[in-house]
Amino acid sequence: MNSTTRRNGGVLEGLYRVLMRRTSVYATFVIAGAFIGERAVDYGIHKLWEYNNVGKRYEDIPVLGQRPTE
């Protein structure tokens, strides 16, 4: 391959240049990715749990938490 065909580089080369050249940028990317990934998984599992337990949750039972009328 000559330099004219590799001038733009590949996607992985671009990611390397942007993210992994400096340790501080790479560490920040990993920490931010872990935080965002954890939030996404937590949201998805929470919605799945609510979907599977409709009608069984405390909020779905209308009698609980109400005082009897006198």
Side-chain angles (χ1 to χ4, degrees):
M1 278 194 233
N2 58 21
S3 63
T4 58
T5 59
R6 287 292 280 177
R7 186 180 340 154
N8 294 336
V11 173
L12 294 177
E13 255 182 70
L15 285 174
Y16 173 76
R17 276 190 235 123
V18 172
L19 297 176
M20 295 194 291
R21 243 182 170 173
R22 296 182 59 179
T23 305
S24 60
V25 175
Y26 180 68
T28 303
F29 175 73
V30 167
I31 291 169
F35 180 75
I36 292 169
E38 184 269 335
R39 298 293 293 174
V41 169
D42 183 51
Y43 178 78
I45 295 296
H46 182 73
K47 289 297 180 184
L48 181 66
W49 188 86
E50 283 185 349
Y51 176 77
N52 285 331
N53 291 301
V54 171
K56 301 174 191 175
R57 298 176 300 158
Y58 184 80
E59 296 90 23
D60 297 335
I61 302 171
V63 179
L64 294 177
Q66 297 178 357
R67 293 184 180 178
T69 55
E70 294 179 19

